[in-house]
Amino acid sequence: MNDIVPAQFDLADGFAAHALSWARSLGAPAQSLAVLPGVARALSLAASAGHVCLPLTELQDAEDGAQALTAEVLRERLLHSGLVATEDEIHGRRPSPQPMVLDAGGRLYLRRFFDLECRLATALAARARARTAEPVGEGVAALLDTLFPARAEETGPDWQKLAVALALDGRLTVISGGPGTGKTTTVAALLACLLQGEPALRIALAAPTGKAAARMLEALRDRAASLPPALRARLPDEAHTVHRLLGVTPAPGRFRHDADNPLAIDVLVVDEASMLDLALAARLFDALPAETRVVLLGDKDQLAAVEAGAVFAELSAARTLTPAALERLAMLCGTAVEEISPALAGDAAAAGEGGAGGAALADSVIWLTESRRFRRDSGIGRLAADINTGNGTAALAWLQAGEDAAAQWIADDSARPGPQTLARMEAGYAPYLDCLRDQRGDVQTRVAAAFAAFDRFRVLAAVHDGPRGLAALNAHLERHLRAALGLPAATGSAGRWYPGRPLIVLRNDYLLGLYNGDVGLCLADERGELAVHFPRSGGGYRAVAPLRLPEHDTAFALTVHKSQGSEFDEVLLVLPAAPSRVLTRELLYTGVTRAARRVALAGPPDVFLAACAERTRRHAGLAARLARCQHAGLR
């Protein structure tokens, strides 16, 4: 759940007062007026915390005198307030002006979120039902065999190969997999197959952040190195943020591309799709032509978007393959149906409520479960698996035993980071400091070396505030760098800029081409003047004057949220001194899996255990909206 700032409480109070005044003007009964402000306030705060809706069962604490209300009584009072519409009324012929909606499953929505969810579900269901018109020929099957040769040492189906085959047949494919499971390899193979059949395909690559987009493009180039040169030359040479792809306009929340001005693309691949919030996902699908093939890549176990919604987690909650699809996949991949089916058997039970919309997305969702980067039984892979299953006690005991140098525990239960934690932070950046001291070579050479040294290690913070939060960790590391390099202490605004300062962009600036999440390094140029250097998407670096930068912050340490879409050789994850509602197993899992080689966690044992036991909850009803679309499509 997201942190709620004071301004959001003010907004919630304002909405509650407005709702009460509006209901009074409509002549609502006293019983409805009694519950309406509390419900309106709770719904507004829920949206600020990332929820799309709230179940009535969580709102029934509203009191009528000394007696708590049942969900059914609360439902009746809300519907009599004049401000709450039913789902059937919203879908009726006459427009309904009410600002809140109550669906058949007892979920209460702000009207805006309900409309967005309906739009997205309709677009997804229609695209999932659409099959590609052109049959997949023998040439593609042969290319699949070349791209995914038989693996003599491994048993079971090759899910990467199956994912490509599935995507060749549909207009929507959702591919979920953890780090190292081959999502980018799968996409490279898919694009190669598509381009072999249609060399002139217009392909777009996108991700929610600039960092994720750049990393996707780099990874795709690496994976495509083994492709035939003719196919490799046709792959995209640019990746966009989703906002940039849609085209930002001066009007908040409006984009240049929408249903009336769709994107001119044949294939869209979106990486790190777990970071898509409901509003952005809805607007992205609004802007896509019906015939565009869409591939969403992500990790269903990672943190959800900062804004409201957990779209990718809902879409990938269950993978349903029809008998016809299984037969087709078996034929294309040379894999027996009997090998594929057993892996799907437990999905419905594991999916929970999110699986309710699985039928609407049949033959559109697939999971990659085998990590080539981490073995499940060792190091980061074992730790991530234990966290993901909520097995905190076993994970902590294993960490404390120090059995694997790739995953380490630093016992640190003090209010401020202890000496061992601080020493690990400082040691992690020692190669970066050595690089800053070395002034040999031209500016581009020194910038490239600085980025290579800086990106090998990162401190991740679980919380923003407090002595173990983001600001305090960055302040300590800044003092350490200044002292190590013999720089004076910061004084005034000019002192904010110094050689070696890393920063992260917090707001998109389309004129400068800088995007939320971009990381730059402040280094001296040829004239000895400080400039902030950012990687170019095509290679190399560009310099931006510090005064021109959009909103930004120092980035020795990042929040786990901001680290999504990034990968570092080593990571130190600093936990707070006490359990926090934002500290969940999804946050731990996301932080741990940012590390490619080694991860260390520093904090009190009880905080780690509490986080493993706490799941991120995002109330939403996209699965229910998809199920309604499926029912309507079958009638």
Side-chain angles (χ1 to χ4, degrees):
M1 186 180 293
N2 300 345
D3 289 313
I4 298 178
V5 300
Q8 291 165 336
F9 283 103
D10 294 340
L11 183 64
D13 290 338
F15 178 61
H18 178 67
L20 181 61
S21 176
W22 188 350
R24 278 177 177 158
S25 71
L26 296 175
Q31 289 181 324
S32 296
L33 296 176
V35 300
L36 188 61
V39 167
R41 185 177 188 275
L43 193 57
S44 179
L45 289 175
S48 299
H51 299 290
V52 174
C53 58
L54 273 183
L56 285 186
T57 51
E58 295 211 357
L59 289 166
Q60 63 190 29
D61 289 338
E63 294 188 356
D64 181 21
Q67 183 178 4
L69 302 177
T70 65
E72 186 56 39
V73 170
L74 182 58
R75 176 187 181 89
E76 290 302 313
R77 294 189 181 182
L78 288 174
L79 291 177
H80 282 95
S81 71
L83 300 192
V84 179
T86 65
E87 187 174 0
D88 290 336
E89 288 172 333
I90 294 295
H91 291 297
R93 294 182 180 180
R94 294 170 57 185
S96 176
Q98 290 97 323
M100 290 176 277
V101 180
L102 188 58
D103 79 354
R107 304 174 190 87
L108 185 66
Y109 289 80
L110 293 172
R111 175 64 177 270
R112 170 176 170 267
F113 287 145
F114 185 81
D115 290 344
L116 286 169
E117 207 172 68
C118 288
R119 273 168 45 198
L120 179 58
T122 300
L124 289 167
R127 201 170 297 272
R129 285 195 299 266
R131 300 289 98 189
T132 53
E134 64 280 0
V136 177
E138 293 182 4
V140 169
L143 181 57
L144 272 177
D145 288 338
T146 301
L147 294 169
F148 299 100
R151 306 171 300 168
E153 74 285 359
E154 297 178 27
T155 59
D158 186 335
W159 287 103
Q160 292 181 30
K161 188 177 185 180
L162 290 167
V164 173
L166 188 70
L168 288 171
D169 193 40
R171 298 292 183 194
L172 173 69
T173 308
V174 180
I175 302 175
S176 175
T181 53
K183 296 189 292 292
T184 308
T185 300
T186 301
V187 166
L190 170 63
L191 296 183
C193 291
L194 292 172
L195 287 167
Q196 177 172 275
E198 297 182 68
L201 275 179
R202 299 167 297 177
I203 300 170
L205 306 177
T209 69
K211 180 72 173 178
R215 184 164 170 251
M216 176 193 192
L217 184 62
E218 180 183 357
L220 183 62
R221 286 171 176 161
D222 290 343
R223 304 302 189 276
S226 60
L227 294 177
L231 285 178
R232 194 165 63 243
R234 297 177 193 140
L235 291 173
D237 58 5
E238 188 177 11
H240 308 271
T241 65
V242 175
H243 285 83
R244 183 182 170 205
L245 179 72
L246 292 175
V248 173
T249 67
R254 298 294 299 273
F255 296 99
R256 187 168 66 253
H257 292 288
D258 55 19
D260 296 323
N261 181 32
L263 291 157
I265 55 177
D266 302 308
V267 180
L268 172 64
V269 180
V270 182
D271 198 11
E272 298 293 344
S274 60
M275 299 167 68
L276 286 175
D277 60 82
L278 174 61
L280 187 58
R283 289 179 177 123
L284 177 61
F285 276 87
D286 283 347
L288 293 175
E291 63 274 12
T292 298
R293 191 188 305 261
V294 182
V295 179
L296 302 179
L297 305 173
D299 185 345
K300 62 184 177 62
D301 298 315
Q302 276 194 35
L303 283 168
V306 174
E307 303 297 332
V311 172
F312 189 82
E314 289 190 272
L315 297 184
S316 54
R319 49 180 177 173
T320 302
L321 297 178
T322 61
L326 285 171
E327 291 288 348
R328 186 172 176 78
L329 292 179
M331 178 189 67
L332 274 175
C333 299
T335 304
V337 170
E338 292 74 22
E339 280 192 80
I340 306 171
S341 298
L344 307 175
D347 287 0
E353 183 185 355
L361 298 182
D363 305 333
S364 298
V365 180
I366 198 161
W367 300 344
L368 305 180
T369 55
E370 181 185 337
S371 177
R372 269 77 169 172
R373 186 186 307 165
F374 311 129
R375 293 202 324 271
R376 187 177 177 88
D377 62 348
S378 66
I380 298 170
R382 173 172 175 171
L383 177 59
D386 281 346
I387 290 171
N388 212 13
T389 56
N391 198 358
T393 301
L396 182 61
W398 177 74
L399 280 171
Q400 291 173 329
E403 296 181 13
D404 194 318
Q408 299 180 329
W409 174 257
I410 300 174
D412 183 359
D413 57 3
S414 57
R416 299 179 180 278
Q420 192 177 356
T421 302
L422 296 177
R424 177 62 64 87
M425 289 167 55
E426 294 164 6
Y429 284 119
Y432 179 56
L433 295 181
D434 290 341
C435 185
L436 293 175
R437 294 186 185 100
D438 186 352
Q439 293 299 303
R440 292 173 296 178
D442 59 23
V443 171
Q444 285 292 305
T445 300
R446 286 188 281 113
V447 170
F451 268 100
F454 181 69
D455 282 339
R456 65 170 294 279
F457 173 77
R458 195 70 86 247
V459 175
L460 299 184
V463 295
H464 281 87
D465 303 321
R468 300 173 70 94
L470 180 71
L473 298 177
N474 271 318
H476 173 83
L477 287 165
E478 179 175 313
R479 290 191 299 271
H480 172 69
L481 180 142
R482 284 180 180 274
L485 297 182
L487 300 174
T491 55
S493 59
R496 295 175 58 239
W497 297 104
Y498 51 90
R501 181 192 178 196
L503 60 87
I504 183 169
V505 174
L506 301 178
R507 180 174 52 81
N508 295 333
D509 187 320
Y510 294 92
L511 292 177
L512 280 178
L514 294 176
Y515 305 99
N516 183 12
D518 286 354
V519 173
L521 296 178
C522 183
L523 301 166
D525 62 16
E526 295 90 341
R527 300 183 301 276
E529 296 180 0
L530 293 178
V532 182
H533 298 262
F534 292 91
R536 294 184 186 274
S537 59
Y541 302 88
R542 65 190 182 102
V544 179
L547 293 179
R548 296 188 64 199
L549 292 176
E551 184 182 357
H552 57 272
D553 198 1
T554 301
F556 288 107
L558 297 175
T559 62
V560 175
H561 266 292
K562 287 293 186 183
S563 74
Q564 284 183 269
S566 298
E567 178 184 296
F568 313 100
D569 284 349
E570 298 185 25
V571 162
L572 170 62
L573 176 56
V574 181
L575 305 179
S580 165
R581 64 176 184 171
V582 302
L583 195 56
T584 62
R585 74 175 65 163
E586 288 82 3
L587 185 140
L588 286 183
Y589 171 84
T590 303
V592 163
T593 54
R594 296 312 88 202
R597 291 181 47 246
R598 189 168 68 163
V599 65
L601 294 90
D606 64 312
V607 172
F608 177 84
L609 294 173
C612 287
E614 183 68 26
R615 297 219 62 165
T616 299
R617 291 194 311 156
R618 284 285 179 95
H619 294 302
L622 184 57
R625 307 284 82 75
L626 285 166
R628 184 181 176 109
C629 290
Q630 170 73 2
H631 178 70
L634 292 175
R635 285 186 299 181

